[in-house]
Amino acid sequence: MPTGIPATALQLRSLVRADQMVELFLETVEVPEPGPGEVVVRVEAAPINPSDLGLLLAGADVSAAVASGPADRPVVTAPLPDAAMRAMRARVGVPLPVGNEGAGTVVAAGSSAAARALLGKMVAVAGGAMYAQYRCADAALCLELPEGTAAADGASSFVNPMTVLGMVETMRREGHAALVHTAAASNLGQMLNRLCIAEQIPLVSIVRRPEHEELLRSAGATHVCNSTSPAFTDELTAALTATAATLAFDATGGGRLASQILTGMEAVASAAAASYSRYGSTVHKQVYIYGSLDRGPTELTRNFGMAWGVGGWLLTPFLQQIGPEAVARLRRRVAAELTTTFASSYTDQVSLAGALQPGTIAAYARQATGSKYLIIPSR
Amino acid sequence: MPTGIPATALQLRSLVRADQMVELFLETVEVPEPGPGEVVVRVEAAPINPSDLGLLLAGADVSAAVASGPADRPVVTAPLPDAAMRAMRARVGVPLPVGNEGAGTVVAAGSSAAARALLGKMVAVAGGAMYAQYRCADAALCLELPEGTAAADGASSFVNPMTVLGMVETMRREGHAALVHTAAASNLGQMLNRLCIAEQIPLVSIVRRPEHEELLRSAGATHVCNSTSPAFTDELTAALTATAATLAFDATGGGRLASQILTGMEAVASAAAASYSRYGSTVHKQVYIYGSLDRGPTELTRNFGMAWGVGGWLLTPFLQQIGPEAVARLRRRVAAELTTTFASSYTDQVSLAGALQPGTIAAYARQATGSKYLIIPSR
């Protein structure tokens, strides 16, 4: 191992215990020698995404989280509700590393040409276990970032950028011409807004707060609806009429929002139909649920005809479906537009230990729009 | 027009009035001269299917139905709830003919060879307006039935047979190997059970009453679950394990049954998965809702991973999708197996006027399993 790389380093772990508690702690792990095709990345920035929270918190009641241990090596425990415990059976007793993505400098490389070519470069990695000081990774999984890219700018170069590109790709592959997006003022929503403007794709953004309407409009969004507004149904119908959107990506999951969107799409399709049909319009209307900000049940009132679908949407199987060449093309685009179309912003930066403070956990567990944390493992 | 065919005949009509009432009545209409490619069918039997009720009753409160007029020409009125009235706006003031399918004898034919070839034959017709004494139809829409077929045996040769064949065809096209069906003791459910036995397709039948379990088991069904049983979850999981079914057709629509089925499928898929994934299994699980016996909202608890879909399924667009050759192949099979695989049974036979008795309307509007009416327009 080259000089300057320690033999051991810290890695964040999440453990579901048999006593129905989640335990979060920092483990000292060996920094491995890279295999021939591998590199060792010094992780310099890793975001806490909503998609990390399921693995990290396991559904624990974070309002009851308790910290113990020294400030630089805290151990946090929080109780698991019964339903979450049932869902987590397969994890009991196995301390799991966490962190879908991050960026950092390649500080050691295996013998292959691909690995050696990355030495000293800033790369983005998406492969789990990124809440760590060092991460050994397959060189093929590393995205080389343009020279001079700051780690903080490259940290979120996979999950959100590939998700918004995946949404647009799904739209095209399934024959739709416009999009609806909920929780639309999130980092991801702002990114989708920039991408849709760049690609001239009509987008309906649904938010819940007036300041988020403003935020998106000032970023150039044309169709922004507030679901808490008394005029929401009319505003949504007007936006759906203007855009002819028949595909929505919903980050909330629970409640009636997906159903309201389908109802609005059907109202537009029926108004355009030549004749009455008791089965509703023949226009296929689709909502993909890709998040679960509202963990309650999805309620579908089914007053939107018979040509509709609701389903789960997940990035990884989508990328498997489109194949490695298409994925590589999308990733190159992300690297090239990392500080423009695919830029992220963060509320705060924390150390690994800082990410385990109960107050900080409560803040990121809320998944409030506009609140996003970046872990800086070297701190 | 040949001798013996009257100039006018009766046709059942359903009218949504501006005063928020549905009016059902028998209209005297001219029996048309057939065009070159058309035939006139003397309708001898037409079933009242669940799929006819939306058009016929328009969502009216049939418990408040009132009949007036003479016994052979009744006029029934029933009030429409506000929500139904809103959904029926496009129909107001237009008296619509009803009846998706039926069978009868071709009594007149246009000049084309195809039309003339059907003269005197028993045919099944699916094209609407079958609750009538005579129906002029395109010869291409008529399915010639085997010689000696009784009208009552041919009356239901389209909707239910093509639906069960469509379910099996959908299963194959979407890469599933087994099926789940709800409200499974219905005429359609019994037919699907016979078809699956003939095709060696594993089928899980979900019913709500012990006598319906018995009925299906005595018809050779292997996997029958009662959703009102306290052991339903375990029984369903066992049946899903045995069959590996990942596709369900749900006739109920409302409530949590679709969700329970997806949860059971996911339990089976997770148990078979090599490792824990916080996003659930990668096995795609699908429920198609093709009926609405429970008109309440569909509630999805989303505790079944991310690889799932729920959507509407409707026969007509499915047949358009598979194309006319595939449809013709399926229809020939139906004609050949009309008294075996695709046989229907009826609780009662009624005249056109008899179908408009409030007590009878209340009976078929309940859509109770085992209760099915056949209209004999000549009575």
Side-chain angles (χ1 to χ4, degrees):
Chain A
M1 190 66 81
T3 353
I5 305 180
T8 62
L10 297 178
Q11 184 187 65
L12 194 153
R13 293 281 178 95
S14 171
L15 169 66
V16 174
R17 300 192 321 212
D19 64 354
Q20 207 160 330
M21 301 291 282
V22 170
E23 183 179 311
L24 306 176
F25 60 99
L26 301 181
E27 180 77 314
T28 300
V29 296
E30 281 189 22
V31 179
E33 286 287 334
E38 292 181 332
V39 296
V40 174
V41 178
R42 184 179 66 222
V43 183
E44 290 156 32
I48 302 177
N49 287 316
S51 53
D52 290 307
L53 296 179
L55 184 59
L56 181 65
L57 303 178
D61 175 8
V62 296
S63 70
V66 173
S68 60
D72 63 336
R73 294 295 287 272
V75 176
V76 179
T77 53
L80 271 174
D82 289 348
M85 185 66 187
R86 276 195 299 277
M88 294 296 148
R89 268 187 300 228
R91 285 186 51 175
V92 173
V94 187
L96 297 170
V98 191
N100 284 324
E101 65 179 341
T105 306
V106 173
V107 292
S111 56
S112 78
R116 297 187 58 80
L118 292 174
L119 204 55
K121 300 283 171 61
M122 176 66 66
V123 297
V125 183
M130 293 302 291
Y131 298 165
Q133 294 180 315
Y134 291 86
R135 168 77 155 85
C136 185
D138 193 316
L141 288 179
C142 297
L143 177 68
E144 186 181 338
L145 299 176
E147 209 180 321
T149 303
D153 287 333
S156 293
S157 65
F158 190 81
V159 177
N160 280 358
M162 293 301 274
T163 299
V164 297
L165 286 167
M167 289 171 173
V168 166
E169 198 81 9
T170 298
M171 179 198 84
R172 293 195 172 121
R173 283 169 190 247
E174 299 188 4
H176 304 273
L179 284 173
V180 178
H181 188 227
T182 72
S186 64
N187 255 290
L188 190 148
Q190 296 178 48
M191 202 179 282
L192 182 64
N193 181 50
R194 289 192 296 269
L195 179 61
C196 286
I197 290 171
E199 305 265 322
Q200 298 185 289
I201 295 164
L203 172 69
V204 179
S205 295
I206 299 176
V207 299
R208 280 178 295 194
R209 295 169 65 178
E211 60 266 38
H212 293 155
E213 293 183 65
E214 264 324 292
L215 186 155
L216 283 167
R217 287 209 178 91
S218 69
T222 309
H223 307 286
V224 187
C225 301
N226 186 329
S227 60
T228 67
S229 154
F232 176 59
T233 301
D234 291 342
E235 288 168 9
L236 178 62
T237 306
L240 293 169
T241 303
T243 57
T246 47
L247 174 63
F249 283 90
D250 175 33
T252 61
R256 294 206 167 186
L257 187 53
S259 194
Q260 287 176 293
I261 293 167
L262 290 168
T263 303
M265 289 174 175
E266 175 65 8
V268 175
S270 295
S275 65
Y276 166 75
S277 161
R278 63 195 177 282
Y279 296 119
S281 79
T282 57
V283 176
H284 184 80
K285 303 159 293 289
Q286 180 72 39
V287 177
Y288 285 117
I289 295 174
Y290 75 97
S292 203
L293 293 174
D294 178 342
R295 301 176 71 108
T298 312
E299 275 190 54
L300 306 172
T301 53
R302 301 200 315 294
N303 58 342
F304 32 72
M306 291 296 281
W308 61 275
V310 173
W313 191 93
L314 198 57
L315 181 58
T316 309
F318 173 75
L319 296 179
Q320 281 164 353
Q321 183 199 322
I322 67 173
E325 274 178 47
V327 171
R329 177 174 51 79
L330 297 180
R331 292 202 75 183
R332 282 194 299 272
R333 175 165 182 189
V334 173
E337 300 175 36
L338 209 43
T339 56
T340 53
T341 314
F342 302 110
S344 292
S345 61
Y346 303 94
T347 331
D348 207 354
Q349 300 188 347
V350 292
S351 64
L352 283 168
L356 298 187
Q357 300 308 312
T360 305
I361 293 174
Y364 57 71
R366 263 200 303 278
Q367 303 182 51
T369 295
S371 157
K372 193 174 177 91
Y373 284 77
L374 189 66
I375 295 179
I376 311 293
S378 60
R379 285 205 184 158
Chain B
M1 190 67 78
T3 354
I5 304 180
T8 62
L10 296 179
Q11 185 187 65
L12 194 153
R13 293 280 180 95
S14 171
L15 169 67
V16 174
R17 301 191 321 211
D19 63 355
Q20 208 162 328
M21 300 291 282
V22 169
E23 183 179 310
L24 306 176
F25 60 99
L26 301 181
E27 180 78 314
T28 301
V29 296
E30 279 189 24
V31 179
E33 287 287 336
E38 293 182 332
V39 297
V40 173
V41 179
R42 185 179 64 222
V43 183
E44 290 157 31
I48 302 178
N49 288 316
S51 52
D52 290 307
L53 296 179
L55 184 59
L56 180 64
L57 303 177
D61 175 8
V62 296
S63 69
V66 174
S68 61
D72 63 336
R73 294 295 286 274
V75 175
V76 179
T77 54
L80 270 174
D82 289 347
M85 185 65 187
R86 276 195 299 275
M88 295 296 148
R89 267 186 301 227
R91 286 185 50 175
V92 172
V94 187
L96 296 171
V98 192
N100 284 324
E101 63 179 343
T105 306
V106 174
V107 293
S111 56
S112 78
R116 297 186 60 79
L118 292 174
L119 205 53
K121 300 283 170 61
M122 175 67 66
V123 296
V125 183
M130 294 302 291
Y131 298 164
Q133 294 180 314
Y134 290 87
R135 167 76 156 86
C136 185
D138 193 314
L141 288 180
C142 297
L143 176 67
E144 186 181 336
L145 299 176
E147 207 180 322
T149 302
D153 287 332
S156 293
S157 65
F158 189 81
V159 177
N160 281 358
M162 293 300 274
T163 298
V164 297
L165 286 166
M167 289 172 175
V168 166
E169 197 81 9
T170 298
M171 180 198 81
R172 293 196 171 120
R173 283 168 189 249
E174 299 188 3
H176 304 273
L179 283 173
V180 178
H181 188 226
T182 72
S186 64
N187 255 289
L188 190 147
Q190 296 178 48
M191 201 178 281
L192 182 62
N193 180 51
R194 289 192 297 270
L195 179 62
C196 285
I197 289 171
E199 305 265 323
Q200 299 185 287
I201 295 165
L203 173 68
V204 178
S205 295
I206 298 176
V207 299
R208 279 179 295 192
R209 295 169 66 177
E211 60 267 37
H212 293 154
E213 293 182 63
E214 264 324 293
L215 185 154
L216 283 167
R217 288 210 177 89
S218 69
T222 309
H223 307 286
V224 187
C225 301
N226 186 329
S227 60
T228 68
S229 156
F232 175 60
T233 301
D234 291 342
E235 288 168 10
L236 178 62
T237 306
L240 293 170
T241 303
T243 56
T246 47
L247 175 63
F249 283 91
D250 176 32
T252 61
R256 293 207 168 185
L257 187 53
S259 194
Q260 288 176 291
I261 293 168
L262 290 169
T263 303
M265 290 174 175
E266 176 64 8
V268 175
S270 295
S275 64
Y276 166 76
S277 161
R278 62 197 178 280
Y279 295 121
S281 78
T282 57
V283 175
H284 184 79
K285 304 160 292 290
Q286 179 72 38
V287 176
Y288 284 118
I289 295 175
Y290 76 96
S292 204
L293 294 173
D294 178 342
R295 301 176 69 109
T298 311
E299 274 190 55
L300 306 172
T301 54
R302 298 197 321 291
N303 58 343
F304 33 72
M306 291 295 282
W308 61 275
V310 172
W313 191 93
L314 198 58
L315 181 58
T316 308
F318 172 76
L319 296 180
Q320 280 164 352
Q321 184 197 322
I322 67 172
E325 275 177 46
V327 171
R329 176 173 53 78
L330 297 180
R331 293 202 75 180
R332 283 193 299 272
R333 175 165 181 187
V334 173
E337 301 175 37
L338 208 43
T339 56
T340 54
T341 314
F342 303 110
S344 292
S345 61
Y346 303 94
T347 331
D348 208 354
Q349 299 188 348
V350 293
S351 65
L352 282 168
L356 297 187
Q357 299 309 313
T360 305
I361 293 173
Y364 58 70
R366 264 199 304 278
Q367 302 183 50
T369 294
S371 157
K372 193 173 176 93
Y373 284 77
L374 189 66
I375 296 179
I376 311 292
S378 61
R379 285 205 184 156

